[in-house]
């Protein structure tokens, strides 16, 4: 086991770290409150006993596999810093595609609903970019909603939060755009027992079934909560685009299409409510 002692300098920590250099810099910044640049210009800064102790504990947790985002308590998404903790999924860069598409599909002053908001990253990124819109966000997890509400406060956006199991608590509310990054990993997928995912809320990752059940529920019921011409956009797994297009088509959506993420994988599928949809 490594141990950084009180009196060690930043430079010595960088030389002796048990984790990689980038992560060491992030953890050092967290512990010392020095910026990235200061960590370089203050390389001879000496750690206090408390800082050394905190750093050792963070190194140990990182070595045990805990995600760096949970250790820091934050993650960047869409240019904003979001508070995260193990109650919420860590926002992924892939999901920025969903935000970009949402921004393209929401009309002026449009009403937006984010289903399964987690940290609130999607809803808050939309509200922050488009102050004209009215954004609502729901989650079944009360502890996730607390994180999301905090994030909305930090970014000074007015998002209406609601605790709801998908559409259950929604009554007759209507939206011009519904977005969701629901749990879509198939039960038993090996990724669930690897890397960061082991530490993330399991119910945010998998439906404990075929991976499509949340996508199916949303596809079946969204039209009831969409205005005419309203759009539904959902993130999904790398091999689910065709299945999600079929779900939307079967539920009378039009202009059904998928969009690729940065890795050129179909990652978001959406469609427009047709005039005849129920
Ligand atoms: N994209 C995430 C992953 O594969 C899963 C997120 C989700 O299930 N919505 O790690």
């Amino acid at each position: 086991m490594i141990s950084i002692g009180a009196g060690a300098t930043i430079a010595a920590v960088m030389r002796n770290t048990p984790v990689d250099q980038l992560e060491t810099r992030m953890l050092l910044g967290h512990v010392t409150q020095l910026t990235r640049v200061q960590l370089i210009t203050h390389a001879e800064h000496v750690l206090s006993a408390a800082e050394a102790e905190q750093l050792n504990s963070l190194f140990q947790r990182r070595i045990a596999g805990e995600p760096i985002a949970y250790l820091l308590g934050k993650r960047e998404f869409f240019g904003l810093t979001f508070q995260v903790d193990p109650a919420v999924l860590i926002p992924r860069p892939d999901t920025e595609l969903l935000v970009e598409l949402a921004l393209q599909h929401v009309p002026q002053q449009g009403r937006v609903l984010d289903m399964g908001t987690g940290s609130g990253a999607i809803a808050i990124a939309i509200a922050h970019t488009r102050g004209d819109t009215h954004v609502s966000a729901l989650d079944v997890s009360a502890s996730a909603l607390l994180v999301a509400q905090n994030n909305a406060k930090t970014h000074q956006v007015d998002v209406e939060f609601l605790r709801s199991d998908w559409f259950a608590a929604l009554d007759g509310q209507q939206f011009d755009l519904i977005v969701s990054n629901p749990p879509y990993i198939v039960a038993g997928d090996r990724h669930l027992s690897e890397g960061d995912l082991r530490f993330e809320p399991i119910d945010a990752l998998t439906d404990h079934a075929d991976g499509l059940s949340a996508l199916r529920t949303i596809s079946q019921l969204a039209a009831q909560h969409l205005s005419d011409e309203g759009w539904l956009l959902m993130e999904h797994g790398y091999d689910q685009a065709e299945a999600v297009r079929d779900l939307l088509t079967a539920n009378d959506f039009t202009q059904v299409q998928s969009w690729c993420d940065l890795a050129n994988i179909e990652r978001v599928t959406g469609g427009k409510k047709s005039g005849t949809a129920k």
Side-chain angles (χ1 to χ4, degrees):
M1 195 185 76
I2 71 104
S3 185
I4 304 291
T9 61
I10 303 276
V13 173
M14 292 304 298
R15 278 195 306 274
N16 299 318
T17 177
V19 307
D20 80 38
Q21 296 282 304
L22 177 64
E23 293 188 348
T24 304
R25 238 179 262 127
M26 294 200 272
L27 294 173
L28 268 169
H30 181 64
V31 165
T32 61
Q33 298 298 313
L34 295 174
T35 64
R36 274 180 74 93
V37 170
Q38 286 171 331
L39 287 173
I40 297 164
T41 55
H42 296 52
E44 296 314 313
H45 170 85
V46 170
L47 295 188
S48 69
E51 287 172 338
E53 193 182 323
Q54 197 191 351
L55 194 60
N56 282 321
S57 143
L58 290 168
F59 282 152
Q60 269 169 38
R61 289 168 62 191
R62 183 67 193 122
I63 291 164
E66 271 188 66
I68 195 87
Y70 290 156
L71 298 182
L72 300 172
K74 61 183 184 183
R75 173 54 48 95
E76 295 279 320
F77 177 80
F78 216 76
L80 301 171
T81 302
F82 288 89
Q83 176 209 331
V84 294
D85 71 23
V88 300
L89 194 78
I90 300 164
R92 313 283 204 265
D94 294 341
T95 304
E96 294 183 349
L97 172 65
L98 181 58
V99 175
E100 278 160 17
L101 290 166
L103 295 171
Q104 288 167 25
H105 286 82
V106 66
Q108 274 297 315
Q109 325 254 294
R111 296 155 297 175
V112 184
L113 172 65
D114 175 22
M115 306 194 72
T117 196
S119 64
I122 296 167
I124 292 165
I126 296 169
H128 192 265
T129 313
R130 285 283 300 276
D132 60 295
T133 62
H134 304 273
V135 182
S136 302
L138 58 81
D139 207 288
V140 72
S141 160
S143 44
L145 286 172
L146 284 177
V147 176
Q149 275 160 335
N150 255 327
N151 280 320
K153 212 170 172 188
T154 303
H155 294 299
Q156 298 181 305
V157 294
D158 191 13
V159 173
E160 199 172 308
F161 291 102
L162 176 70
R163 184 163 181 212
S164 180
D165 185 2
W166 302 126
F167 296 92
L170 267 185
D171 298 327
Q173 281 163 269
Q174 298 268 307
F175 303 91
D176 302 301
L177 171 67
I178 296 177
V179 295
S180 185
N181 173 20
Y184 54 67
I185 299 179
V186 180
D189 186 305
R190 68 177 170 82
H191 292 102
L192 294 170
S193 46
E194 291 174 5
D196 284 4
L197 278 67
R198 292 170 294 166
F199 294 84
E200 293 184 287
I202 188 76
D203 295 335
L205 290 166
T206 177
D207 59 354
H208 308 278
D210 66 351
L212 291 169
S213 47
L215 293 159
R216 200 176 284 122
T217 300
I218 296 169
S219 301
Q220 283 166 353
L221 299 175
Q224 294 176 19
H225 296 277
L226 280 172
S227 55
D228 290 346
E229 319 268 292
W231 275 82
L232 169 62
L233 298 167
M234 294 179 290
E235 179 175 319
H236 50 69
Y238 70 96
D239 58 354
Q240 293 171 326
E242 191 179 348
V244 177
R245 286 195 297 270
D246 289 349
L247 283 172
L248 290 179
T249 305
N251 286 287
D252 299 324
F253 281 86
T254 61
Q255 299 187 38
V256 173
Q257 57 201 287
S258 302
W259 292 267
C260 289
D261 65 16
L262 295 168
N264 220 24
I265 293 166
E266 287 180 318
R267 180 60 65 187
V268 172
T269 293
K272 189 169 135 184
K273 177 173 165 176
S274 77
T276 58
K278 300 156 288 281

